[in-house]
Each structure stands twice: as C-alpha cells, then as structure tokens.
Amino acid sequence: YSWKTDTAKHTYEFKELTIAAGKDAIPTLDFPRFILKNDPSYNFYAHEPAIVVSFGGEARAYPLSILTLFELSNDTVGGKNIMVSYCPMCNSALVFNRDITTPMGEKTLRFGVSGLLIHNDMVMYDKETETWWGQLTGEGIAGEHSGVALKMMRALLISVEDFFDRYPNGKILAPLNLNSMTKKDGH
C-alpha cells in the first residue's frame, strides 16, 4: 500500500502500530443518505444503539449496525463538517469536527480508514495529507498534522427509540440498500 504520509513527523513509536487491513479496505460513508422514521424503508430495531449528532436544528442518528461495516462517515450537520467514527474492536464511538486551523488557514479534511491499529484502536487518515489520526484521541500521530488534535463534538450513544423520542423530526442513516458510498447527490 502506498502512503504519502510524512513519517518523519510522529508522536508515537511505530512499533505501537499494528497492521490489521489494507488502506481503505474498509470503505467510508462519504455521502450518507438519511430517512425519516415514517419512510417505508425504515427497518431499525427500537433498542438498536446509534450515535446521535444534533447541531444547528438538525438531528441525525448513525446506527452502529451500519457503522460497524464502514467505521467512518464524513458528513455535514447543521453547517458543521463532522466525522462520525466507530471502532468495533474497542467499541468506541466519537464525533469530531473535520475543520482544522493550519498555518495556511482553515482546512476541511476528509477521513478514511487506514487499516492500522494503535493499542487495538482504529487509526484514521485524512485524504488530503494522509496524516494518521488516533480514533480515541483525535490526535494526529504521524504525518503533516502530527500533534494536531481534532475538536471533539458533542454526541450521544442512545437507542433509535430514544433518538426519535428526543428528536421526532430527526433523520436516521438510510438502510444500506438506499445508501451509497460514492453517490454525490447529497442527503
């Protein structure tokens, strides 16, 4: 697998990394689609866990049953560029702001799954510089943005039923047969 990561810059020893899969072997949801609860394709269990994000009047649920297959979703909610992450290996669900400040100004990153693990946790990478990022810390661990910390965003891990009780007009990630990893027609 070819990497463009500047490995001269790093905050961890490389011996702490494990190769679990190839780069992008696990696809991400880059253009996720969402549905309302009354959509005919709705088929989620009431007690199914979901990562819930609510910003700017928008509320969205990302069921773990889908995120287990993709691990990351690059999305925009309420005007905020976010990345929803779930590591099935360590059962950690975190949401980060994809916008960072660099010496060149503000930059929005898109994330992918590197296939690497650090202490049995997923290592993400940004597609712009291929910096490697720890999922539990949101910190750049190797590459151009090594030492930079992504801003963690407020999120809940609650049941789908609780999501719709709190946010009756909220939207949930569409079932896989309606979702596309490459479709660019928006939400």
Side-chain angles (χ1 to χ4, degrees):
Y1 305 102
S2 64
W3 284 100
K4 299 174 191 164
T5 308
D6 180 356
T7 55
K9 299 176 184 177
H10 57 91
T11 58
Y12 281 84
E13 295 299 320
F14 293 115
K15 65 183 179 185
E16 297 179 70
L17 295 169
T18 305
I19 299 172
K23 176 182 173 187
D24 293 322
I26 299 169
T28 59
L29 287 171
D30 288 333
F31 302 96
R33 294 185 51 192
F34 294 85
I35 60 172
L36 295 167
K37 186 178 182 180
N38 62 0
D39 189 285
S41 64
Y42 180 89
N43 66 350
F44 297 100
Y45 296 107
H47 299 293
E48 185 169 339
I51 302 170
V52 172
V53 180
S54 176
F55 297 112
E58 283 187 72
R60 294 198 182 151
Y62 301 78
L64 296 191
S65 61
I66 295 175
L67 284 179
T68 296
L69 302 173
F70 297 96
E71 298 187 7
L72 295 177
S73 179
N74 293 292
D75 202 1
T76 302
V77 177
K80 291 196 183 283
N81 295 313
I82 66 166
M83 182 251 304
V84 178
S85 68
Y86 177 64
C87 178
M89 183 169 245
C90 60
N91 196 30
S92 57
L94 297 161
V95 178
F96 296 99
N97 189 326
R98 294 188 293 127
D99 296 330
I100 63 169
T101 302
T102 71
M104 307 298 277
E106 289 291 315
K107 186 182 226 179
T108 301
L109 302 174
R110 280 185 326 110
F111 287 87
V113 179
S114 72
L116 302 170
L117 300 173
I118 186 142
H119 306 294
N120 292 322
D121 181 48
M122 170 184 28
V123 173
M124 312 169 294
Y125 78 97
D126 70 71
K127 297 190 180 209
E128 290 70 25
T129 68
E130 296 196 357
T131 296
W132 300 341
W133 304 80
Q135 188 256 355
L136 280 174
T137 63
E139 179 186 325
I141 60 173
E144 182 178 323
H145 300 304
S146 182
V148 172
L150 297 170
K151 182 181 176 192
M152 194 177 297
M153 306 302 288
R154 191 175 58 163
L156 298 170
L157 184 57
I158 58 176
S159 72
V160 168
E161 180 179 56
D162 288 343
F163 168 69
F164 285 111
D165 285 347
R166 288 176 187 231
Y167 305 102
N169 297 317
K171 293 183 177 180
I172 191 166
L173 200 55
L176 291 181
N177 59 345
L178 295 179
N179 229 315
S180 169
M181 296 170 291
T182 58
K183 200 168 187 177
K184 298 183 181 185
D185 63 355
H187 306 279

